[in-house]
Amino acid sequence: MSPTGTWSYPTSIRFGAGRISEIADACQVAGISKPLLVTDKGLAGMEITTRTLDLLEEAGLRCGLFSAVDPNPTDLNSNEGVRAFREGGYDGVIAFGGGSGLDLAKVIAFMAGQTRPLWDFEDIGDWWTRANADAIAPIVAVPTTAGTGSEVGKASVITNSESHDKKIIFHPKMLPSVVICDPELTVGMPKFITAGTGLDAFAHCVEAYSSPHYHPMSQGIALEGMRLVKDYLPRAYEDGTDIEARANMMSAASMGATAFQKGLGAIHALSHPIGAVHHTHHGTTNAVCMPAVLKFNADAIRDRFDAAAAYLGIEGGFDGFCAYVDDLNASMGVPKTLTELGVDDPDIDALTDAALRDPSTGGNPIEMTHENTRALFEQCL
Ligand SMILES: [Fe+2]
């Protein structure tokens, strides 16, 4: 393969415990004087959110709050958020939360000044060039989970409320100008979410590392991201107040999303339609699918996972890595099958078609066909 690629690496990140105190300064640096803080319903009333709003008020910034965000955010959430942004006269967005809050916030900032409908900007070819880039509002991102990595991404996953397909909306200016990664914000996450989000970060690293595209920087970041998950996710799961573990998981999350510009693969291709139709937790769904996908890709990834296993201190090369993944899932109570996860009466053919339409499919090292993808779904169920 001839080494070619188009690379871009992430943004300004203020990393460390307590750095949420810099939120007002981060807004100033991003050019925001009247921010709309976008988060999900669950977080809206929580102490970390009210404290952040207080910090902004103390600094003299008049901040609004929008929290009508579904767990798998939709175009309807986006329309409502854009209306709130315009009516309130805001000039930037604070994206605050886990994957749903961050993704919807980025789309609201993006759509705030556009005149075309959302789906005109799906991540297909150069559709992003249809956008008026000057009208995109600046974004400060504050993750409160350690998984999605959306804080360092230029895209959002939004569910089409009519077709139930998960679509990717992409624009280079959807990349937050400033990110605050404060691990103290993740201390209150319940065990189930710590596991599910952490395993999402792990899936990003595993799929980026498996993708056949040429991107050695991503490859290194993905490998070190896997190590951080291996060393620190069990600690964060056991003791949510372990700040060192929480901090390293926050790094792993940003690293996973940085790495996956190299590509995702079958784990996400399967997980996206399952989540869109059956409303399962994204990271947990990935974790359930990972063992079957590793075996599905074995012929293409065995050598590189032999090397990864050696770096991670896992005996037995690729097979040892697969056994490690089974043990990791089991140690955090991840179900073994999608059925156990609550996927009831699935339309396997419709899910297969949706998986093959998913952009993650292109990054899988083994070509996904209707036949082998359907069989993979059946195995995961
Ligand atoms: Fe993911």
Side-chain angles (χ1 to χ4, degrees), residues 213-247:
H213 303 306
Y214 180 74
H215 203 322
M217 287 192 277
S218 279
Q219 203 68 356
I221 289 174
L223 182 58
E224 178 64 0
M226 282 188 249
R227 184 189 72 80
L228 291 178
V229 172
K230 176 172 176 284
D231 289 354
Y232 294 102
L233 180 56
R235 274 175 55 178
Y237 182 77
E238 254 343 288
D239 175 8
T241 65
D242 182 338
I243 286 291
E244 187 191 1
R246 290 293 197 189

Side-chain angles (χ1 to χ4, degrees), residues 147-149 157 196-197 199-201 203-204 207 260 264 267-268 271-272 282-283 286:
T148 167
V157 179
T197 51
L199 292 170
D200 187 27
H204 296 157
E207 294 217 280
F260 78 55
L264 287 169
I267 295 173
H268 277 78
S271 164
H272 283 154
H282 171 67
N286 290 340

Side-chain angles (χ1 to χ4, degrees), residues 18 27 57 74 83 102 155 166 202 228 244 251 256 265 296 306 346 363:
C27 286
E57 200 184 298
T74 66
R83 202 161 38 240
L102 295 181
K166 283 200 175 191
F202 189 59
L228 291 178
E244 187 191 1
S251 291
F296 179 84
D306 283 346

Side-chain angles (χ1 to χ4, degrees), residues 5-301:
T6 304
W7 300 333
S8 64
Y9 265 61
T11 186
S12 164
I13 301 174
R14 302 181 182 203
F15 190 98
R19 295 198 71 177
I20 190 64
S21 63
E22 298 173 33
I23 183 71
D25 184 63
C27 286
Q28 236 145 40
V29 167
I32 303 172
S33 59
K34 192 180 177 192
L36 178 64
L37 188 144
V38 177
T39 193
D40 62 62
K41 296 178 189 102
L43 270 171
M46 284 176 68
E47 196 257 338
I48 51 172
T49 312
T50 50
R51 190 157 47 88
T52 303
L53 291 167
D54 288 347
L55 284 164
L56 290 158
E57 200 184 298
E58 283 161 23
L61 291 179
R62 283 178 305 140
C63 183
L65 175 67
F66 179 79
S67 64
V69 182
D70 291 321
N72 290 295
T74 66
D75 46 339
L76 303 177
N77 297 151
S78 167
N79 294 344
E80 205 182 323
V82 167
R83 202 161 38 240
F85 184 94
R86 289 177 182 164
E87 283 172 3
Y90 300 102
D91 62 358
V93 167
I94 298 174
F96 191 92
S100 316
L102 295 181
D103 276 12
L104 191 77
K106 285 160 62 184
V107 158
I108 290 171
F110 170 67
M111 288 300 290
Q114 305 305 319
T115 50
R116 299 174 71 136
L118 178 64
W119 304 125
D120 279 9
F121 304 109
E122 198 188 332
D123 188 14
I124 296 173
D126 66 352
W127 285 17
W128 64 271
T129 59
R130 296 167 164 178
N132 175 2
D134 294 336
I136 300 170
I139 304 162
V140 170
V142 184
T144 62
T145 66
T148 167
S150 181
E151 67 275 8
V152 295
K154 298 170 188 170
S156 288
V157 179
I158 302 293
T159 301
N160 184 313
S161 57
E162 282 171 14
S163 70
H164 302 291
D165 275 347
K166 283 200 175 191
K167 301 283 190 190
I168 294 178
I169 306 299
F170 166 87
H171 194 282
K173 281 186 77 177
M174 279 169 69
L175 181 70
S177 323
V178 185
V179 177
I180 295 181
C181 281
D182 182 343
E184 284 180 353
L185 301 179
T186 68
V187 162
M189 264 195 291
K191 273 186 186 301
F192 167 76
I193 302 293
T194 298
T197 51
L199 292 170
D200 187 27
F202 189 59
H204 296 157
C205 294
V206 166
E207 294 217 280
Y209 188 78
S210 303
S211 149
H213 303 306
Y214 180 74
H215 203 322
M217 287 192 277
S218 279
Q219 203 68 356
I221 289 174
L223 182 58
E224 178 64 0
M226 282 188 249
R227 184 189 72 80
L228 291 178
V229 172
K230 176 172 176 284
D231 289 354
Y232 294 102
L233 180 56
R235 274 175 55 178
Y237 182 77
E238 254 343 288
D239 175 8
T241 65
D242 182 338
I243 286 291
E244 187 191 1
R246 290 293 197 189
N248 279 298
M249 281 309 300
M250 202 156 226
S251 291
S254 292
M255 290 164 74
T258 304
F260 78 55
Q261 62 173 266
K262 177 169 178 270
L264 287 169
I267 295 173
H268 277 78
L270 264 57
S271 164
H272 283 154
I274 291 280
V277 178
H278 295 275
H279 308 290
T280 53
H281 183 265
H282 171 67
T284 313
T285 313
N286 290 340
V288 173
C289 295
M290 186 182 289
V293 171
L294 285 170
K295 288 176 187 86
F296 179 84
N297 288 332
D299 288 346
I301 62 173

Side-chain angles (χ1 to χ4, degrees), residues 293-368:
V293 171
L294 285 170
K295 288 176 187 86
F296 179 84
N297 288 332
D299 288 346
I301 62 173
R302 182 173 289 279
D303 288 353
R304 66 179 69 178
F305 274 89
D306 283 346
Y311 176 69
L312 297 169
I314 294 169
E315 282 177 26
F318 171 74
D319 296 324
F321 184 85
C322 292
Y324 159 75
V325 169
D326 290 340
D327 291 347
L328 180 67
N329 279 354
S331 73
M332 291 188 288
V334 172
K336 276 201 152 72
T337 64
L338 293 172
T339 310
E340 270 178 66
L341 185 66
V343 175
D344 192 27
D345 195 21
D347 182 341
I348 302 181
D349 282 309
L351 289 171
T352 301
D353 289 341
L356 293 171
R357 283 195 305 270
D358 193 276
S360 310
T361 297
N364 199 66
I366 298 277
E367 192 186 348
M368 295 171 70

